Amino acid sequence: MAILRGHELLASEVASQIALHTVYGGVVPEVASRHHLRTLQPVIGRALAKAQVSLRDMDAFAATSGPGLATSLMIGASVAKALAIGFRKPYLAVNHLEGHLLSPFFGAPDGDGKYPQRPAIALVVSGGHTLLVEIEDFGRYQLLGQTRDDAAGEAFDKVGKLLGLPYPGGPHVDRLARQGDSARHHFPRGMLDSDDFNFSFSGLKTAVRYLLPKLGTIHLPDVCASFQEAVVDVLVTKTLRAARARGLRLVALSGGVSCNSRLREKMRAACAAAGLELLVAPPALCTDNAAMIGYVAVRKLARGESSSLISDIDPNLRLVA
Ligand code: KG4
Ligand code: ZN
């Protein structure tokens, strides 16, 4: 739950479910939605207290309408709609992916709040998606490429699981990789040389799986660093190639995987070397959060947009229709 006044973030409360899902080694949809039901009201209360406002002060209510788990989306959307009806205010359905996509622009030093002032190449890397997008303007996006199989975050989590790390594996792989040698194992860079902007990470995951039994003793940091380097290599190379192909000078990096320290470092170095400007959201805005959804809602509202109260959630909602 987040509360925004214009582009100012007054409160952002995240009810983390990580501890809950660690027990099962992944997200169990029913467990997730029951947790939503239990925590939503207290989280709303906490956010209101922090922002020192009441529900009556709100100009609009927004929720994520997809993509995501149906039972979780339903709860958020139902509550936002109920509040919109109760307080006679607009309701805004926000695309989860648009939230990630625009998160690097939230709080960016844009002076007049008009970011993106110029078109950008955006890489969205989360647990469920890996997208390369051309942002033409707010609300005008062109999908250049996406993963053909596993998302980048999914690859991190599955490899984390193979290595016996807790769920989600991404942050643990990142942490261990810092002490590892990324040149120790050579893993495949799927679709690195394809002449499109798509990705593939399932072969990489399989390569890790087949390597493990062959290793006498597994030095986790080296496996993590080598795996991570393969993912990051492809992500950075394809993003820069897309920027060059489209003649764009601005790169925006977002989604949970954009917390990854090596991805940030390598993307920063590559953009600097190519003379590109890079925008990355602060880590709190990279993994799922309501602030990024609120930011899109504020921008939609400013353009006079709102959503129908009978608009439904869509677990498979796309960024570009
Ligand atoms: O955006 P997000 O919070 O949720 C989705 O929309 O999917 O992304 C979660 C993903 C998980 O796969 C998690 O392992 C990954 O982001 N992640 C990381 C790191 N922090 C989170 N992956 C690699 N390195 C990290 N530091
Ligand atoms: Zn997400």
Side-chain angles (χ1 to χ4, degrees), residues 67 96-97 100 124-129 255-256 286-289 292:
H96 177 177
L97 296 171
H100 281 304
V124 182
V125 270
S126 71
H129 296 85
C286 292
T287 43
D288 283 348
N289 64 89
M292 67 182 189

Side-chain angles (χ1 to χ4, degrees), residues 74-228:
M74 244 152 50
I75 293 169
S78 305
V79 170
K81 284 180 191 174
L83 290 169
I85 293 169
F87 289 97
R88 297 175 199 279
K89 293 288 163 62
Y91 164 68
L92 291 121
V94 175
N95 187 312
H96 177 177
L97 296 171
E98 192 173 14
H100 281 304
L101 184 77
L102 298 187
S103 60
F105 301 100
F106 187 12
D110 60 345
D112 56 2
K114 292 262 169 52
Y115 245 131
Q117 294 145 326
R118 52 211 165 89
I121 284 293
L123 175 69
V124 182
V125 270
S126 71
H129 296 85
T130 303
L131 309 175
L132 256 179
V133 177
E134 179 171 343
I135 302 179
E136 292 168 4
D137 197 352
F138 172 62
R140 285 216 336 258
Y141 314 118
Q142 205 179 317
L143 183 62
L144 302 180
Q146 59 190 320
T147 184
R148 294 246 181 239
D149 38 59
D150 293 349
E154 191 180 352
F156 268 97
D157 298 342
K158 285 178 174 169
V159 165
K161 201 169 200 172
L162 284 174
L163 298 175
L165 301 172
Y167 176 86
H172 297 282
V173 171
D174 185 355
R175 180 177 44 81
L176 286 165
R178 282 175 213 163
Q179 287 108 50
D181 173 9
S182 62
R184 175 77 190 280
H185 308 288
H186 185 79
F187 289 123
R189 271 80 169 146
M191 299 186 78
L192 182 65
D193 297 317
S194 67
D195 52 9
D196 55 23
F197 298 114
N198 293 321
F199 301 91
S200 167
F201 295 108
S202 68
L204 170 58
K205 172 194 65 190
T206 308
V208 176
R209 183 173 152 66
Y210 284 136
L211 172 77
L212 294 180
K214 292 188 197 143
L215 297 175
T217 46
I218 298 171
H219 187 244
L220 276 184
D222 286 351
V223 178
C224 289
S226 304
F227 157 77
Q228 178 175 274

Side-chain angles (χ1 to χ4, degrees), residues 249-269:
R249 320 282 322 153
L250 179 62
V251 172
L253 175 61
S254 62
V257 181
S258 66
C259 284
N260 184 269
S261 56
R262 182 64 185 139
L263 176 58
R264 285 177 170 245
E265 178 186 48
K266 196 158 177 157
M267 191 70 90
R268 211 166 271 142

